[in-house]
Amino acid sequence: MISYIIRRLLLLVFVLFGVVTLVFFLIHFIPGDPVDIMLGDYALPADKQELRSVMGLDRPLLIQYKDYVSGVLTGDLGTSIHSKRTVLEEILERLPASAELMVGAMTIALLIAFPFGILAALKPYGLLDSASMFASFLGVAMPNFWLGPLLIIFFSIKLDWLPINERGGLENLILPSITLGTAMAAMLSRMIRSSLLEVLGEEYIRNARAKGLAERKVILKHALRNALIPVITIIGLQIGVLLSGAIITEAIFDWPGLGSLLLEGIYNRNYPLVQGCILVIATIYVVVNLITDITYAWVDPRVRLS
Amino acid sequence: MNLNRSPLLQVIDLNVDFKSEGKTTAILKEISFVLEKGETLGIVGESGSGKTITVQSILNLIPTPPLSGISGKILFKDTDLLNCSQTQLRSIRGKEIAYIFQEPMTALNPVLSIGDQIMEMIRTHESTGRKSAFQKAVSLLEEVGIPSPEQRMKNFPHELSGGMRQRAMIAMALSCNPEILLADEPTTALDVTIQAQVLELFKELKQTRGTSIIFVTHDLGVIAEIADKLMVLRQGMIIEEGPLDQIFKSPQQEYTRELISLLGGE
Amino acid sequence: MSRSKAMLRTSIFTILLTLLFLLLQGAHAGEKNLLVGIEDPPKTMDPRFSTDATGMRISHHLLFSTLVQHGQDLQIIPNLAKSWKTPDNKTYIFHLHDQVRFHDGRPLTAEDVKFTFEHLKNPQTKSPFAGTYKVIKSIRVIDPYSIEFKLEKTVASFLTSIIMPIVPKHVIEAGGPFHNQLIGSGPFIFDDQSPNEIILKKNPDYFMGAPSLDRITFKIIKDDNTRFLKMRKGELDLVINAIPLNKVDDFKKSPLKKRYTVMEDAGLSYNYISFNMKKPELQDIKLRKAIAYGINVEEIIKYRLEGHAVPSYSLLSPVNWFSEKNVTRYDYQPETASRLMDEAGLPKTGSNSKQPRITLELKTSNNAEVIGIARIIQAQLAKIGIRIEIKSYEWGTFYGDIKSGNFQLTTMRWVGVTEPDFYFNIFNSGQFPPAGRNRGLYKNEQIDRLTEEGRNILDADRRKTIYAKIQKIVADDLPYISLWHTSNISIVHKRVSGYQQHPMGGYLSFRNIDINP
Amino acid sequence: MFRNKWTYAGLIIILFFIVTALTAPWIAPEDPYEINLVLQLAPPDADHIMGRDNNGSDILSRLLYGARISLVVGLSVVTISGIIGILLGLVSGYYGGWVDLILMRIVDILLAFPGLLLAIALVAVLGPSLTNVVIALIALGWVPFARLVRGQVISVKERNYILAARTSGQSDLRVMIIHILPNIISVVIVQATFNLAGVIISESSLSFLGLGAPPGTPSWGAMLSEGKQVILDAPHVSIFPGLAIMLVVLAFNFVGDGLRDKLDPKTDRK
């Protein structure tokens, strides 16, 4: 197991290197120039040219790439073009908010998906199954820029229980987490249902019953553990969806997360910031997937960690 | 039939119907038989004759769907298993009557170790601590002839050979010293040499534990070695029943004669 | 790690966060705190680099002081400079107030003014305004409170371009990050900034009298709906030009009427369609006029802008003294448009044939409102046989194309234009991209001459006649089709008094604001 | 043919949408591109059961025309990215070793990569059109399929009937397609039906960011994002496209369930 983890961590470096390279050339490849966008119509071209050279933007791309990568290796992600603050500082300012929102959304998703998924599987095609199926399709088909305002109108304006926007205490976290988490909850509950239905048809479940175990134990200990296997991969995948889905949720709730910082960076062609954000998001993503693979092997002994 | 003691298990007029894609078919019609203490009843029939369904209905293990209707009585120590409460049924399953499945690979939970699955059986029915449950499981594995049982406890089903897995299944079934063992073609999935060893194991258990067994198989050769009494099933009906040697010597039904002739005679 | 342990850890994490947040809030209860809702965070509030509207307004009007300012009627009014005179049209002498102090207590003198402009001219500073101040030849400190500027040549718009916050020489020269100190001499002092909020506190010894507000909190709320809902709950005191036009009238009806008042007057932002004058198919003035006559500006204002705009006939808003009223106007005349296209020899559209008379491409940014308006124009022009294909791009790509003249038609707007010299930047043929902003590549000798002349004359009346001529030629030549000026709209909470809406949508009157609970 | 009645309901709904998509020009009450500002945001009433959007165009007509676009975009993206993903996932899971290592790391890179940046780059280069939107969505759409299929193949590969098939001399390709695929198809189908909704919603987010189909195209995604601006005053502008998307996903999921029961050997074996 340990050697597997070490090998995967080495590969992680390769993956991140791949991501950084892909991002670097792609963002520079997109038309639109950061100095233009920054200075807008104010500065004279001579000044803009000067600003570009001082920032080293006029150097050949490969040199800029080499400097950037060597900078990253020493932990220097460069300075943000506009605000003159270091990229690391801007990212670290936003990281806790993103982490909090992702944990919140994930918790909501799991709290909804597991009970709904399990109950739907226990009585397939029953009333509860169709209700949970209907609710989950609603969850998937409802975009978060629609769900957000609806939740605000109901919970903040009409009932005045929760604040409208901004990050703060636990109560600020509830609405954004529901908005971001529902699509994932819908997806997960259907996945858990279908995977659990399959497992319930297996012989070892009938054997567990033959052993005289209580139905609750048969489901939770025997069936669920086997049904978890494909679900874990889905959870790993969903982290990516959460990160990108967060952009719109962050916009609606003014949640100071990485998603909106990345979007601003892209719009302003703030190269160092975009590269820094994507590097951090990629790291989170790859580490989470490493954890999913390890839990995968921990849950399913048949899978040897080659 | 000696009268002074009632039979261990009595099945009276058992009827079972299945429903699939709107069509209801009768799987078992008017099945009645008796199992005495310490006796081994062999149930023989081609596949689809309803022999597996018969033993499964004893412990009410048939899933709905496809099960659509079940009637009759199954008396075990004056409780009718078909109409008793869930808790009563659960206290009998595995403790009084244990079931051995045909395919050990799919009947053992792939993600739990052999030790866990056996100890779980023990601790469900007997309130013993982990330590003693562990010891009991090891001794059970020894009894069924599995070498270095301590090590095997930690193994997962896919890490054992077919024979070993079947022995583990049997160990698990025996863990609470049940009165009756329902063995659903326990040897069919094994190759011949392992089959003989497992049969040998069943014979030993009959001597050492005096457990009564219902042994389901389509292979008359296997039955000949182990059963005291024989019951021949065809399309959900009992066509012949009686002590083993009587049926083998003078089979009443044409169908039974053909089955025996396939065997090449005694 | 079982799931319950993970849940425990996250709840502790968030509870700690709540405590921290409550501590911060508690300290400010019971004081006069103006809550201002804005759409985007300023890219930076450091006046040397800030080019976005919010950043400039906070630094120019609140944190720092400038030599002079734009008055309510857009004329130049004194600020740090009590008075000024121009011995000749290339020399300016300013006399400063003598008891102005920076927020760190140090006095503000002519030295700081000299340092500010030389610092901005110095290429090492990398300030976007270096170019604007290249024209300053020399700055001389006459005495601690008077300063003389000598220019390379006459610049009529110098008093407008000199509006730049004065930064403290001693702090800048000491080095270190100025962006989180922002020590100025304005009515408010920089207190704190987070991705959601910018907090300024009162400067008790401001030289024009301490403001009555204790604190201003700029709430950054990106989403239009969320901003509106925040006001529905009464959690904002003031929102300037940041409420979608279709929601403004909600504030004139109950329940919001009880809590808010709406201030609306003519604004400066000029919305237009620009032609690429180099494209052969657009050379014929008849076609350009036909398009102008084919667009029903009134309908767009009435339905899409809900009446919150006035049709515009020139770059300069009617409020501007230089604005010329009698120029050719193009109201909605579809018949004239068709006739002009006939005269231009465009193929006729058969009554049934879908074949348009001409197909043009209109490039826009990805702003939802702009796209909405483009679609209405598309539908209006389709009625007279002009087929418009709308191509919308993300801002960076769009801006790159427009600056490089890579478009046929585009629709944009100029914000806060007060000085008529702007005509030089957008219509003088010496200002083609990438150098200048004459993106339509418009070339007209008369306009070149007049815009050159207008920059070098100080006498206001003679400049007015020059710019009147320019506006007449432009209205006839149509490098731009003028659409409308969107109004300036401020939504003000009833508890707020003393706020005066400025045509440039600025924060100059914040220092007079008071909050009565 | 199918075990449960819901599958038939699903088929009927899909058929209904395909028919509307094909006959839209004839059955749509009005031209979807027509703008009449006088009637903007008119709520649903007798003769316009779905009301009008912020340009006064009839929402029902735009939905009918939109059916064609959204179904084409949705189905083409899901099928193409599904096929690519399944093939790569199969190969990577089946062979393991270096193939798996490299493929999965490429998958990691692309999964860790915010699709948004790629979409902006693609649309910026190729220009905003529906085909480019489809390309942008496929460019990253195949990746979750590959990862899911690979995970499934690994756990199924261990089952002895697969080992038996491999040792019986059948070609690897046959083993993969005939033996492995049916066993993992059910989870893939569920993922596919959900991806369909995901694709339509992503198209809506792209339109929301101005990167989708040319403005005015009545795709359901674009209608949703246009509805956002007026959601507080006229929620009906967003409700109907939202319901349409939900109905389509519902239908495809019913059919998916039906297909899964049909295809999956386990549920059939007694």
Side-chain angles (χ1 to χ4, degrees):
Chain A
M1 174 70 96
I2 305 301
S3 69
Y4 172 77
I5 294 179
I6 293 166
R7 213 148 50 78
R8 275 299 291 269
L9 287 178
L10 287 177
L11 285 175
L12 181 134
V13 171
F14 167 74
V15 168
L16 293 183
F17 184 76
V19 170
V20 166
T21 312
L22 193 58
V23 165
F24 184 89
F25 288 107
L26 199 57
I27 184 92
H28 283 85
F29 175 73
I30 300 177
D33 166 79
V35 172
D36 263 345
I37 292 169
M38 178 172 102
L39 301 184
D41 303 327
Y42 282 89
L44 297 173
D47 302 322
K48 288 186 184 165
Q49 199 39 40
E50 223 158 287
L51 189 55
R52 279 199 201 91
S53 57
V54 166
M55 276 198 261
L57 292 176
D58 54 0
R59 289 172 300 157
L61 213 50
L62 280 175
I63 311 279
Q64 287 186 46
Y65 174 65
K66 186 178 64 55
D67 292 350
Y68 178 70
V69 171
S70 50
V72 167
L73 295 179
T74 56
D76 155 28
L77 296 180
T79 45
S80 174
I81 287 180
H82 303 281
S83 64
K84 299 288 184 286
R85 296 165 59 195
T86 65
V87 167
L88 202 58
E89 186 187 337
E90 284 198 335
I91 288 178
L92 291 180
E93 186 186 48
R94 303 273 188 128
L95 208 50
S98 273
E100 200 180 279
L101 182 58
M102 259 177 47
V103 167
M106 183 69 82
T107 321
I108 297 277
L110 295 179
L111 285 183
I112 297 174
F114 270 94
F116 262 94
I118 294 170
L119 291 175
L122 293 184
K123 297 185 195 57
Y125 307 114
L127 182 65
L128 189 87
D129 183 17
S130 342
S132 98
M133 191 192 297
F134 185 79
S136 68
F137 294 138
L138 207 62
V140 168
M142 194 194 291
N144 35 28
F145 60 72
W146 204 58
L147 182 60
L150 288 191
L151 289 172
I152 294 177
I153 292 170
F154 191 67
F155 288 104
S156 306
I157 307 264
K158 288 220 167 47
L159 298 176
D160 194 11
W161 288 348
L162 296 170
I164 290 183
N165 62 349
E166 280 183 28
R167 179 170 173 231
L170 204 56
E171 72 283 3
N172 295 61
L173 185 57
I174 294 170
L175 292 188
S177 300
I178 295 175
T179 310
L180 189 56
T182 35
M184 182 174 163
M187 166 78 161
L188 261 183
S189 71
R190 296 314 302 160
M191 198 53 80
I192 291 170
R193 170 190 180 273
S194 92
S195 159
L196 194 54
L197 258 183
E198 249 181 79
V199 164
L200 287 173
E202 296 284 354
E203 198 93 316
Y204 53 80
I205 296 299
R206 206 178 318 170
N207 185 18
R209 288 202 184 102
K211 283 159 72 173
L213 299 178
E215 193 60 12
R216 193 172 38 75
K217 203 143 183 268
V218 169
I219 298 296
L220 290 183
K221 186 173 179 205
H222 287 271
L224 200 57
R225 207 167 147 154
N226 280 281
L228 263 182
I229 300 168
V231 171
I232 289 173
T233 4
I234 300 296
I235 293 180
L237 285 173
Q238 285 299 325
I239 303 287
V241 173
L242 274 191
L243 286 170
S244 54
I247 290 179
I248 294 185
T249 309
E250 282 172 21
I252 293 171
F253 291 95
D254 294 293
W255 197 264
L258 277 178
S260 33
L261 184 66
L262 174 61
L263 193 64
E264 266 165 56
I266 294 174
Y267 278 168
N268 302 330
R269 298 299 188 277
N270 189 337
Y271 300 139
L273 181 64
V274 170
Q275 285 149 206
C277 274
I278 292 185
L279 185 60
V280 167
I281 292 175
T283 318
I284 296 173
Y285 189 83
V286 173
V287 165
V288 163
N289 268 303
L290 177 58
I291 294 167
T292 6
D293 281 352
I294 291 169
T295 23
Y296 196 88
W298 176 62
V299 168
D300 184 350
R302 289 167 297 187
V303 172
R304 290 176 311 287
L305 284 182
S306 54
Chain B
M1 272 281 274
N2 65 36
L3 295 170
N4 55 18
R5 56 181 170 70
S6 63
L8 184 61
L9 178 75
Q10 201 177 2
V11 172
I12 306 158
D13 299 339
L14 175 64
N15 282 299
V16 171
D17 302 332
F18 274 14
K19 182 158 166 264
S20 78
E21 280 151 18
K23 201 154 53 40
T24 315
T25 41
I27 302 292
L28 293 182
K29 301 165 202 131
E30 306 301 329
I31 299 292
S32 303
F33 60 90
V34 158
L35 181 67
E36 298 301 343
K37 183 132 185 44
E39 189 184 45
T40 299
L41 165 67
I43 302 183
V44 152
E46 285 156 2
S47 64
S49 57
K51 50 187 187 305
T52 302
I53 302 298
T54 311
V55 280
Q56 281 189 353
S57 40
I58 292 172
L59 281 180
N60 207 324
L61 290 174
I62 309 168
T64 46
L67 176 72
S68 68
I70 186 163
S71 64
K73 285 206 191 65
I74 301 180
L75 301 178
F76 171 75
K77 284 186 189 167
D78 54 50
T79 40
D80 177 358
L81 296 182
L82 282 190
N83 307 314
C84 66
S85 72
Q86 271 301 330
T87 34
Q88 250 179 327
L89 185 61
R90 268 210 305 278
S91 65
I92 292 169
R93 278 180 178 166
K95 188 167 186 313
E96 314 271 350
I97 305 177
Y99 196 100
I100 299 173
F101 287 84
Q102 170 183 349
E103 182 66 64
M105 183 54 203
T106 57
L108 290 172
N109 189 330
V111 295
L112 293 176
S113 70
I114 298 294
D116 272 354
Q117 298 191 48
I118 295 176
M119 287 200 309
E120 178 190 41
M121 178 81 153
I122 298 166
R123 298 189 67 206
T124 315
H125 294 297
E126 292 153 12
S127 53
T128 55
R130 279 189 67 80
K131 199 71 199 73
S132 60
F134 184 86
Q135 287 315 329
K136 190 140 191 275
V138 170
S139 66
L140 276 166
L141 289 180
E142 228 162 345
E143 188 184 345
V144 294
I146 292 182
S148 57
E150 240 110 25
Q151 167 48 24
R152 289 292 162 270
M153 290 284 282
K154 287 196 286 303
N155 283 124
F156 288 95
H158 67 280
E159 291 166 332
L160 301 181
S161 69
M164 282 301 155
R165 276 198 293 267
Q166 192 61 315
R167 288 172 190 269
M169 270 291 295
I170 294 164
M172 191 190 303
L174 295 174
S175 54
C176 303
N177 198 4
E179 301 259 349
I180 304 176
L181 258 186
L182 305 176
D184 177 8
E185 308 210 34
T187 55
T188 311
L190 308 175
D191 58 271
V192 178
T193 47
I194 308 288
Q195 204 176 56
Q197 287 166 9
V198 169
L199 271 180
E200 209 43 52
L201 176 58
F202 271 102
K203 280 190 204 151
E204 273 162 38
L205 293 176
K206 271 181 71 168
Q207 311 313 339
T208 54
R209 288 180 177 244
T211 331
S212 18
I213 303 172
I214 300 183
F215 202 104
V216 168
T217 180
H218 61 277
D219 177 347
L220 263 178
V222 165
I223 282 292
E225 292 202 28
I226 192 159
D228 306 326
K229 221 165 57 177
L230 186 60
M231 188 166 89
V232 181
L233 275 184
R234 191 156 172 269
Q235 278 142 18
M237 285 178 293
I238 304 176
I239 56 166
E240 195 153 356
E241 192 187 359
L244 186 75
D245 40 22
Q246 180 213 322
I247 297 236
F248 266 82
K249 272 206 205 60
S250 55
Q252 303 309 320
Q253 297 296 338
E254 180 49 31
Y255 177 72
T256 327
R257 260 194 298 281
E258 274 158 31
L259 280 180
I260 294 172
S261 64
L262 284 175
L263 210 62
E266 203 45 19
Chain C
M1 184 177 66
S2 71
R3 219 153 42 70
S4 56
K5 258 202 226 99
M7 297 277 285
L8 197 66
R9 203 160 50 71
T10 40
S11 35
I12 294 173
F13 171 80
T14 29
I15 287 166
L16 279 178
L17 217 70
T18 341
L19 289 180
L20 178 71
F21 187 73
L22 290 179
L23 272 170
L24 265 172
Q25 289 296 57
H28 310 315
E31 60 174 3
K32 290 181 176 164
N33 180 6
L34 182 74
L35 298 172
V36 183
I38 54 174
E39 283 173 289
D40 298 308
K43 293 204 178 64
T44 173
M45 288 186 286
D46 181 338
R48 300 171 298 163
F49 306 105
S50 167
T51 55
D52 63 292
T54 318
M56 288 175 82
R57 283 182 187 134
I58 295 179
S59 56
H60 288 227
H61 301 162
L62 301 178
L63 292 177
F64 294 85
S65 315
T66 56
L67 288 177
V68 289
Q69 262 304 342
H70 284 291
Q72 280 298 118
D73 52 9
L74 297 182
Q75 294 305 340
I76 302 293
I77 56 170
N79 193 282
L80 268 180
K82 282 189 290 199
S83 61
W84 59 89
K85 51 187 181 332
T86 48
D88 62 57
N89 53 22
K90 280 196 274 186
T91 319
Y92 291 79
I93 296 175
F94 295 94
H95 298 292
L96 311 177
H97 281 277
D98 49 15
Q99 357 61 2
V100 179
R101 293 193 168 283
F102 282 106
H103 295 156
D104 63 358
R106 299 278 284 274
L108 184 148
T109 67
E111 280 304 330
D112 296 296
V113 177
K114 174 178 165 62
F115 168 79
T116 299
F117 289 100
E118 278 167 357
H119 175 68
L120 289 175
K121 273 178 69 175
N122 172 354
Q124 288 315 323
T125 323
K126 298 184 285 186
S127 159
F129 304 105
T132 351
Y133 299 121
K134 269 216 168 46
V135 76
I136 301 173
K137 195 163 68 180
S138 68
I139 308 172
R140 187 168 61 83
V141 172
I142 305 167
D143 66 47
Y145 296 104
S146 30
I147 189 159
E148 178 203 66
F149 287 82
K150 279 213 172 301
L151 307 185
E152 303 284 353
K153 58 183 173 68
T154 325
V155 176
S157 59
F158 181 67
L159 280 178
T160 306
S161 56
I162 199 79
I163 299 175
M164 165 56 75
I166 303 305
V167 290
K169 178 177 183 193
H170 60 285
V171 174
I172 301 282
E173 280 183 339
F178 188 62
H179 63 76
N180 45 24
Q181 296 172 332
L182 297 173
I183 294 164
S185 55
F188 291 90
I189 301 171
F190 177 69
D191 183 17
D192 187 15
Q193 176 173 16
S194 77
N196 288 108
E197 258 176 10
I198 297 166
I199 305 172
L200 314 180
K201 57 181 192 272
K202 168 208 293 245
N203 172 9
D205 32 40
Y206 177 55
F207 71 103
M208 290 207 240
S212 38
L213 283 177
D214 297 315
R215 186 170 300 280
I216 300 178
T217 308
F218 286 93
K219 289 274 184 189
I220 302 160
I221 305 167
K222 292 200 179 65
D223 183 76
D224 289 346
N225 292 330
T226 312
R227 206 171 314 115
F228 176 74
L229 292 172
K230 197 93 170 153
M231 298 187 84
R232 267 273 292 278
K233 236 181 140 189
E235 286 174 4
L236 288 175
D237 295 325
L238 175 61
V239 172
I240 305 167
N241 293 330
I243 285 291
L245 297 180
N246 59 10
K247 300 302 282 174
V248 170
D249 295 340
D250 287 19
F251 290 91
K252 296 176 182 166
K253 295 182 283 225
S254 63
L256 290 172
K257 196 162 53 133
K258 285 205 304 320
R259 190 182 284 141
Y260 290 100
T261 45
V262 177
M263 287 186 188
E264 180 171 357
D265 48 42
L268 299 183
S269 87
Y270 169 69
N271 293 274
Y272 63 94
I273 288 182
S274 164
F275 290 106
N276 183 332
M277 302 300 273
K278 275 282 176 295
K279 297 282 178 184
E281 62 279 9
L282 296 174
Q283 294 308 319
D284 188 339
I285 180 65
K286 288 196 175 64
L287 171 64
R288 296 203 299 275
K289 286 199 171 192
I291 295 174
Y293 281 121
I295 295 176
N296 185 342
V297 169
E298 301 283 347
E299 187 193 45
I300 298 176
I301 291 176
K302 182 159 186 279
Y303 292 105
R304 185 40 49 87
L305 309 176
E306 314 258 341
H308 299 299
V310 290
S312 71
Y313 307 104
S314 132
L315 164 70
L316 305 176
S317 130
V319 174
N320 194 317
W321 182 68
F322 285 101
S323 152
E324 171 55 37
K325 298 295 177 283
N326 45 45
V327 289
T328 327
R329 301 188 179 205
Y330 301 87
D331 38 26
Y332 184 48
Q333 295 171 17
E335 313 75 25
T336 329
S338 307
R339 184 170 48 73
L340 281 169
M341 283 197 282
D342 300 344
E343 282 165 19
L346 288 175
K348 278 239 182 321
T349 41
S351 61
N352 53 20
S353 79
K354 272 262 179 278
Q355 182 55 30
R357 304 189 70 167
I358 183 168
T359 306
L360 297 169
E361 186 192 88
L362 173 63
K363 215 169 246 191
T364 73
S365 73
N366 61 355
N367 174 305
E369 269 152 48
V370 168
I371 292 178
I373 289 163
R375 282 202 54 219
I376 298 172
I377 292 172
Q378 177 185 48
Q380 291 174 347
L381 291 178
K383 290 202 184 87
I384 52 169
I386 299 175
R387 188 160 166 292
I388 297 285
E389 276 163 10
I390 304 172
K391 285 268 192 314
S392 75
Y393 290 90
E394 172 266 334
W395 174 256
T397 323
F398 167 73
Y399 195 62
D401 282 357
I402 297 304
K403 286 186 70 60
S404 52
N406 168 10
F407 67 93
Q408 243 180 350
L409 275 82
T410 186
T411 172
M412 288 178 80
R413 62 184 175 145
W414 294 116
V415 177
V417 173
T418 52
E419 170 49 55
D421 177 47
F422 197 72
Y423 274 108
F424 176 82
N425 300 47
I426 56 171
F427 287 140
N428 186 298
S429 61
Q431 295 296 312
F432 283 175
R437 286 176 247 168
N438 185 348
R439 301 186 187 120
L441 311 171
Y442 174 55
K443 185 163 182 19
N444 177 315
E445 286 78 18
Q446 257 187 318
I447 291 290
D448 286 347
R449 192 168 40 71
L450 288 169
T451 47
E452 204 59 56
E453 219 181 299
R455 336 190 69 195
N456 303 324
I457 300 168
L458 286 185
D459 172 74
D461 294 331
R462 280 182 55 212
R463 289 189 81 209
K464 190 167 174 23
T465 43
I466 290 170
Y467 286 111
K469 247 192 249 119
I470 291 178
Q471 288 171 66
K472 282 200 179 66
I473 298 167
V474 162
D476 292 333
D477 221 2
L478 277 185
Y480 279 1
I481 295 179
S482 301
L483 295 176
W484 55 79
H485 295 287
T486 10
S487 341
N488 246 334
I489 299 171
S490 303
I491 315 266
V492 193
H493 197 287
K494 288 236 159 73
R495 69 178 191 149
V496 170
S497 61
Y499 169 67
Q500 229 188 348
Q501 182 166 256
H502 191 285
M504 294 168 72
Y507 303 147
L508 272 176
S509 65
F510 277 24
R511 59 191 176 88
N512 314 327
I513 285 181
D514 195 355
I515 290 183
N516 15 46
Chain D
M1 229 258 286
F2 288 105
R3 202 154 52 83
N4 69 65
K5 51 189 181 334
W6 292 105
T7 322
Y8 291 105
L11 281 176
I12 293 164
I13 296 174
I14 292 174
L15 214 63
F16 167 75
F17 274 109
I18 291 171
V19 164
T20 43
L22 296 176
T23 59
W26 295 282
I27 53 173
E30 280 178 22
D31 162 10
Y33 290 91
E34 197 201 332
I35 289 180
N36 23 44
L37 291 174
V38 182
L39 307 166
Q40 66 179 347
L41 296 181
D45 56 24
D47 54 6
H48 286 281
I49 51 170
M50 291 191 181
R52 293 179 175 277
D53 66 11
N54 31 15
N55 287 320
S57 327
D58 173 49
I59 291 180
L60 175 60
S61 321
R62 288 179 67 79
L63 262 187
L64 296 175
Y65 274 84
R68 187 185 313 195
I69 297 168
S70 291
L71 281 182
V72 163
V73 167
L75 288 176
S76 51
V77 170
V78 169
T79 19
I80 297 172
S81 50
I83 291 165
I84 300 171
I86 289 175
L87 286 179
L88 291 180
L90 267 175
V91 163
S92 161
Y94 186 76
Y95 288 109
W98 276 106
V99 176
D100 180 32
L101 212 59
I102 295 167
L103 258 179
M104 276 307 120
R105 293 302 75 75
I106 294 172
V107 161
D108 279 345
I109 293 178
L110 287 177
L111 271 177
F113 194 88
L116 185 69
L117 186 63
L118 191 72
I120 293 177
L122 272 174
V123 172
V125 168
L126 305 172
S129 75
L130 217 49
T131 24
N132 300 339
V133 167
V134 169
I135 294 168
L137 292 174
I138 290 176
L140 280 177
W142 64 272
V143 177
F145 276 108
R147 177 139 188 137
L148 178 69
V149 166
R150 179 235 179 206
Q152 287 290 294
V153 167
I154 286 185
S155 69
V156 163
K157 198 166 70 168
E158 302 307 321
R159 301 254 169 92
N160 48 22
Y161 52 79
I162 301 292
L163 299 177
R166 282 175 83 162
T167 48
S168 70
Q170 292 175 34
S171 76
D172 284 348
L173 188 64
R174 248 182 77 77
V175 171
M176 280 194 259
I177 304 296
I178 310 293
H179 293 284
I180 293 183
L181 196 54
N183 276 292
I184 56 168
I185 200 68
S186 63
V187 180
V188 173
I189 287 175
V190 174
Q191 165 93 9
T193 46
F194 268 89
N195 267 20
L196 184 67
V199 164
I200 296 180
I201 298 284
S202 320
E203 196 254 323
S204 141
S205 316
L206 281 179
S207 320
F208 180 59
L209 298 172
L211 305 166
T217 327
S219 83
W220 291 349
M223 287 171 76
L224 260 184
S225 73
E226 275 158 27
K228 168 179 167 26
Q229 294 155 34
V230 291
I231 200 156
L232 300 177
D233 304 327
H236 70 273
V237 177
S238 294
I239 287 178
F240 292 110
L243 287 180
I245 294 172
M246 196 194 77
L247 217 54
V248 166
V249 170
L250 197 78
F252 273 101
N253 214 281
F254 285 162
V255 173
D257 272 359
L259 266 177
R260 187 201 56 191
D261 292 349
K262 201 96 190 88
L263 282 173
D264 194 335
K266 256 205 293 307
T267 41
D268 272 357
R269 192 192 52 200
K270 267 294 155 301

